[in-house]
Structures are given as structure tokens and as C-alpha cells.
Amino acid sequence: MKKLRELRRLYQIGRTLFDYGLDELIPARLQIWPARMARKSLFWLNNKHPDLSRGKRIRLALEHLGPVFIKFGQMLSTRRDLLPPDIAEELALLQDRVPPFDGRLARQQIERSLRQPIEALFDEFDERPLASASIAQVHTARLKTGQEIVIKVIRPGIERVIEADVSLMHSMATLIARLVPERSSRLRPVEVVEEYRKTLLDELNLLREAANAIQLRRNFEGSRTLYVPEIYSSYCHENVLVMERIYGIPVSDIEALKANGTNMKLLAERGVEVFFTQVFRDSFFHADMHPGNIFVSYDHPEDPQWIGIDCGIVGTLNRDDKRYLAENFLAFFNRDYRKVAELHVESGWVPADTKVEEFESAIRTVLEPIFEKPLSEISFGHVLLNLFNTARRFNMAVQPQLVLLQKTLLYVEGVGRQLYPQLDLWKTAKPFLEDWMQKQVGYKAVINGVKEKAPYWAEKLPEIPELVYDALRQAKLQQRQMTGLYERYAGHDQRRGQGQFLLAVGASTLLASTLLLGMDESRLATSGLVLTLVVWWLGWRRIAR
């Protein structure tokens, strides 16, 4: 029965792909004859949308195939290093809006997860969903204490759907990798599907999203730039998330923002500030900041505040990544391509044997034409994308944290330019990065380092005399051991020399005995041979001791 369902689903997928003519996008030289024969046998399945662009056909096909494929397209849209620009742009338009499931099922799932009836948990619960997405949907409710909340509920049975569809994707990716290995080495279809599977599994665990939101809220506690709704963790479960209900203007509703009197320039600049603060101050950034997850507070439109939701995907950077990334950005600003090339080698992003001069030349060739435009017209995200594409020609290893960062930067920049077309992200970001670098490598960094370590040093200070005494005693003991070893070695070396001398004497005695034997002096020759054996025995004993 399971195999039958898989075959039926495979036919549905194939039919959709053929209906949108996606088979026509495969180059003829890559179509092996069994595949061509199989395609001709399905003569009743033809391209029903020949007038549409290839990117739009791919997007519509994914939307038709349902939630799992929509999510896959969204993930692919962030991998612009693997896709042509026109396809990547279309995939970025995929909307996570799907028909809602029955609110009674949501009620049952909430009660089953929290082990109490809805009436015991909440004063109000609306079975009509407020919003519906591919993985979950949201319902409004009210706590017994009076707070308005929203409840995010995972779609019932979505795990089975995901497992089945991802399994088929994996099979198709494996087949593609075998049929066209020369292209697969770059596109890495199996690795892409595996990355997608991990992303989906992370999103299915709402406790992970709750923890991310709590951390992000703590990082921006009291901030005027970003507000993260409160999470009610005592009501959360792997498939249920309860958080404060927020009222804001969708960041994509430009008309509503203007009607509210929002300072659009400041709002756009604060988006950049929020992003760089998350990345460089906190090393913890919201990596899914598309317009559907961002709102703007109605309050204080002259001093606008962003509201961020849906923290299922976050990115982190270690200290070295942050340092090299900031230095790379500043090198961009100064058009110092040599520095960019050296930083990639020092960071280990490209192999240590990379020829810096060749890498520098390749970077200059790609980026210099971009910088001929006014800075306000240059896409920071696309500059980063072009750099990574160039670095991959020099065997740059895939850096998952940088892929997330690149995607988020493209989102932030796209939203910022939509709000305020004259946004100069370079001008906004450069002072922030320069100040951060000074704090990392200047005298401020030394002072901060001392302040940070001072409590630890104060705690260890009483132990220092004892530690110094132990160190001196160990040093003295080691010195005695070294002296003994040297003496033993010297004695061994002396015995070895004596043994080698005796072996040489034995060899001489053997030679003399041989000569005496030739002169018919057998008695002396026999004595010499005996002496030779005795001397050699003594010599071997000296060496062996």
C-alpha cells in the first residue's frame, strides 16, 4: 500500500512537471535515450503554459505541488550561487499561503499536546485561523489572565507528507547525480535535498522556535529598534507555540505605513542597524526576515520600531567568522581586493595554497564594474553573492552560516530599498562596522578584555602562590629526571663506543688469523680465531646493555 501511494504521488509530481513544461528545460545533450523514450510514451502530458517564462513555470509548478515543494522553492531561492538569476528571482516570490486545515483539528491537537481541554487553558479560542502556512497555522485566543495571544499549531500529519515527498526528492536527486555527474559536482542535488530536510525538521519542532524567540527578545529587551513578542513557554510543546499577539503594519504595505506617518528613511536604516547588531553584537540573527515575518508598530511612527516574528530559522557566527566578515566588508568599502583575498585565505574559507594574486585579480574583475555605479544603487547582498561565487572557483568550502547571512542580507536590503529607494546601505553600515572593529582590536578591546577576565582573575588570585610553588617543584623534579636520563644516555653511549672498538679488534684478529693459516701457522691461527670470538662476544654485550 505504501509503495502504491508513493507511485501515485510520483505520477502526480511527474504530471505537474510536464504540465508546466519543466522537462523542456533539460538540455538535449543531457537527455539520455531511456528518458527520451519514457517521455514520448507519456504523449498525453504536454506543456500547457508555453507562453510563460521558465522561472514562472517552475514557481507555479512548485505552488501546485503543495507545501513541501513550496518550502523547497523558498530554500532554493536563497541559494543564488546555484541558480540563474531569473529563476532565483521567481522562486523568491513563492508565498507561504496555503488552504487552512479544520480548526477543530487544531483544537484537538492543542488539547492533546497540553493535556487539558481548551476551556481550562484559555478564556477564548477562535477556531477560524488567523493565518495559514505550509507547516503550521495560527489561531487567536485569550489567556485566563486576560492577555491576547496567538497559538501556532503544526499541521496534522505533515510529518508523513514531508517524509514521503523528501524521500522522493532524494531519489530523484540521486538519479540526477548519477546521470549527469559533471553538472552534479557543482549543483550537488543530494546535498541540497539533505539541507532542506534538516531545515524542515527544525521548523517542525516549535520548542526550538520558542527558544530562539526568547533569546532574540532578551537580546533586544528595551530596544526602540526591534520588538520580539513574548513567548509563553509553559504553554509550548513540540507542535504548539503560544506567544503574545501583536498589532502592526505589514512591512510590505507601503501605503498603510505612509498613511500612519511613518518615517520611511529611518525605518529602512533601522532595518540595517537591527541586522548588523544581531550579527556582530549578538552572533545570533533572525535568518528568515522576509516581509511576511516583519511588521512595524503603529506607535510612534516618527520613531518607528520593527516587530519580528517566526524565529524558526536563526544563524550564528563564531568570533573568527565575525572578525573576518567585518574586515571583508570594510575592505569592500575601501575597494581593497588584495585584503579581501588575503582574508579568505587566512580564515580558511579557501585552501591555504590558493594563489592570492590570482584570487585578487578574479575578485577585481567581478567587483570593479559594480563599483562604477553610485553606492546608493549597489546591492550589498549581490556584491557578497558575486564574491562567494568567485571564491567557489578557487574551491571555497561551503559555509552554511554565510549562506544564511547572505540570504538574510538580501531580504533586509530588499525590504529597505522597498521602503526607501534611496537607501545607501553602505553608508549606513560602514560606521557601525568601523566602531565594532575598534572595539575588537583597539584599546577599547584591551580594556573590555581586562574587564571581562577580571572576575576570573580575582577568583584565582588566592591560588597563585600555591600554583607557583607547585610549578617550581615540578620544574625541579623534571630537571632531576632529565639529569638522570642524560647520565644513563652518556653511560650507554660510552659502552656502545667500547663495544664498537672490541668488534673492530675482533675483525683485525680474524684477519690476522686468516693470514697465519695461509702461512701454515695453524696453532697460532686457531688461538687467533678463539680470541676473535671472545672479543666479539664482549663487544656485543657492551652494545646490547
Side-chain angles (χ1 to χ4, degrees):
M1 184 62 70
K2 181 180 177 182
K3 289 293 183 184
L4 185 61
R5 285 198 302 269
E6 288 183 354
L7 288 173
R8 188 183 300 117
R9 179 57 173 162
L10 185 60
Y11 175 76
Q12 291 172 350
I13 293 171
R15 179 171 182 170
T16 300
L17 299 181
F18 293 145
D19 282 350
Y20 285 93
L22 301 192
D23 57 307
E24 300 172 4
L25 304 182
I26 302 174
R29 61 186 178 82
L30 299 179
Q31 297 183 24
I32 59 177
W33 70 266
R36 291 198 301 270
M37 293 297 294
R39 176 65 188 96
K40 288 179 181 179
S41 67
L42 301 171
F43 58 88
W44 64 93
L45 299 178
N46 297 310
N47 183 4
K48 296 181 174 59
H49 308 275
D51 55 322
L52 300 179
S53 67
R54 63 177 185 175
K56 193 165 188 178
R57 279 187 281 154
I58 293 173
R59 175 172 63 83
L60 293 174
L62 294 176
E63 287 180 347
H64 186 272
L65 287 171
V68 176
F69 285 84
I70 290 173
K71 279 286 184 184
F72 186 62
Q74 290 174 339
M75 190 272 292
L76 274 181
S77 71
T78 69
R79 298 302 305 270
R80 293 171 182 253
D81 55 318
L82 303 179
L83 298 174
D86 60 317
I87 294 178
E89 293 295 338
E90 277 292 338
L91 294 182
L93 299 176
L94 281 169
Q95 298 298 312
D96 210 6
R97 299 171 187 153
V98 297
F101 60 88
D102 193 334
R104 288 173 296 183
L105 292 176
R107 172 189 284 267
Q108 292 171 9
Q109 183 151 300
I110 294 169
E111 291 180 336
R112 185 165 53 250
S113 298
L114 302 183
R115 298 180 180 179
Q116 292 187 62
I118 286 287
E119 293 74 20
L121 294 165
F122 312 113
D123 270 348
E124 299 175 10
F125 175 77
D126 192 347
E127 288 190 358
R128 294 170 301 176
L130 179 67
S132 180
S134 57
I135 300 294
Q137 72 182 28
V138 174
H139 293 261
T140 59
R142 186 186 297 273
L143 292 177
K144 293 290 185 180
T145 53
Q147 291 100 327
E148 289 187 85
I149 58 168
V150 293
I151 307 175
K152 187 174 183 178
V153 186
I154 295 291
R155 284 180 171 270
I158 191 66
E159 296 91 345
R160 292 192 301 273
V161 175
I162 288 174
E163 188 60 41
D165 279 354
V166 172
S167 178
L168 284 174
M169 287 180 181
H170 194 278
S171 298
M172 289 189 285
T174 303
L175 181 62
I176 292 171
R178 290 176 179 172
L179 293 178
V180 283
E182 67 280 2
R183 296 293 293 273
S184 299
S185 61
R186 167 161 168 73
L187 298 180
R188 296 184 301 252
V190 176
E191 288 82 353
V192 169
V193 171
E194 182 60 24
E195 178 185 337
Y196 172 59
R197 187 186 70 83
K198 291 177 182 177
T199 301
L200 277 181
L201 291 178
D202 284 348
E203 289 197 58
L204 284 175
N205 187 349
L206 294 183
L207 287 178
R208 182 187 297 270
E209 179 178 338
N212 292 340
I214 291 170
Q215 177 68 53
L216 196 61
R217 177 180 171 84
R218 183 164 57 245
N219 291 344
F220 282 85
E221 192 72 40
S223 169
R224 296 188 306 169
T225 58
L226 176 67
Y227 183 81
V228 179
E230 182 179 357
I231 299 294
Y232 297 95
S233 54
S234 58
Y235 295 92
C236 292
H237 187 266
E238 285 186 2
N239 52 22
V240 174
L241 173 71
V242 177
M243 72 176 187
E244 168 192 3
R245 184 177 185 180
I246 55 99
Y247 292 91
I249 306 169
V251 75
S252 56
D253 194 345
I254 305 299
E255 295 303 319
L257 289 170
K258 290 181 178 178
N260 196 50
T262 305
N263 184 334
M264 304 297 275
K265 180 176 183 292
L266 182 57
L267 179 64
E269 291 174 348
R270 281 193 168 171
V272 178
E273 179 186 340
V274 164
F275 170 73
F276 281 99
T277 300
Q278 290 180 56
V279 171
F280 290 102
R281 187 194 69 184
D282 304 328
S283 303
F284 187 87
F285 61 94
H286 191 314
D288 200 19
M289 293 183 69
H290 62 76
N293 289 338
I294 305 172
F295 296 82
V296 180
S297 173
Y298 283 101
D299 302 329
H300 309 294
E302 75 290 346
D303 187 25
Q305 184 182 48
W306 292 70
I307 303 173
I309 63 171
D310 195 352
C311 304
I313 305 174
V314 297
T316 59
L317 296 176
N318 60 39
R319 184 186 296 272
D320 290 337
D321 280 341
K322 285 195 300 182
R323 171 77 175 274
Y324 284 118
L325 198 59
E327 290 183 333
N328 265 296
F329 284 154
L330 290 174
F332 286 154
F333 293 133
N334 299 321
R335 295 164 80 164
D336 186 350
Y337 305 119
R338 176 79 179 193
K339 182 68 172 177
V340 173
E342 290 174 346
L343 286 168
H344 273 67
V345 176
E346 290 173 14
S347 65
W349 294 347
V350 297
D353 59 355
T354 300
K355 295 182 179 179
V356 174
E357 293 77 12
E358 293 181 8
F359 191 21
E360 175 192 1
S361 177
I363 294 172
R364 177 178 288 104
T365 301
V366 172
L367 297 186
E368 195 62 33
I370 297 176
F371 286 117
E372 291 303 311
K373 302 177 183 178
L375 284 179
S376 60
E377 296 179 12
I378 297 174
S379 168
F380 203 175
H382 283 97
V383 167
L384 201 61
L385 175 65
N386 287 333
L387 173 67
F388 289 163
N389 285 342
T390 303
R392 284 191 182 92
R393 287 167 39 204
F394 289 81
N395 299 316
M396 176 179 174
V398 174
Q399 306 286 331
Q401 75 279 19
L402 297 185
V403 172
L404 279 175
L405 181 106
Q406 170 193 306
K407 178 195 80 168
T408 308
L409 182 55
L410 286 168
Y411 278 152
V412 169
E413 189 172 40
V415 170
R417 291 264 167 88
Q418 186 180 7
L419 294 170
Y420 184 69
Q422 294 79 34
L423 173 68
D424 187 342
L425 186 141
W426 301 74
K427 182 179 179 182
T428 307
K430 187 175 181 180
F432 183 97
L433 291 171
E434 289 177 335
D435 180 64
W436 185 83
M437 283 299 297
Q438 286 181 357
K439 291 179 180 177
Q440 297 303 305
V441 299
Y443 69 92
K444 292 182 180 178
V446 177
I447 295 173
N448 290 335
V450 171
K451 287 180 179 178
E452 183 180 343
K453 295 293 185 181
Y456 175 78
W457 293 339
E459 180 184 350
K460 295 297 180 183
L461 190 60
E463 302 176 18
I464 289 179
E466 186 176 351
L467 291 172
V468 170
Y469 172 75
D470 288 342
L472 292 173
R473 187 175 62 179
Q474 289 293 329
K476 190 173 183 180
L477 179 61
Q478 289 176 1
Q479 185 178 8
R480 289 177 180 173
Q481 291 173 342
M482 290 298 296
T483 302
L485 286 172
Y486 175 77
E487 290 174 353
R488 285 196 295 272
Y489 174 78
H492 176 74
D493 193 53
Q494 183 179 12
R495 289 193 298 273
R496 184 181 180 86
Q498 291 172 351
Q500 289 174 344
F501 173 75
L502 289 172
L503 290 176
V505 170
S508 301
T509 308
L510 177 63
L511 179 61
S513 299
T514 305
L515 293 174
L516 288 171
L517 191 63
M519 297 170 61
D520 294 328
E521 296 288 343
S522 57
R523 187 174 173 182
L524 289 174
T526 301
S527 300
L529 288 173
V530 172
L531 181 61
T532 297
L533 293 174
V534 172
V535 171
W536 275 358
W537 178 72
L538 291 172
W540 282 115
R541 282 196 63 186
R542 286 281 182 180
I543 292 174
R545 287 177 62 184

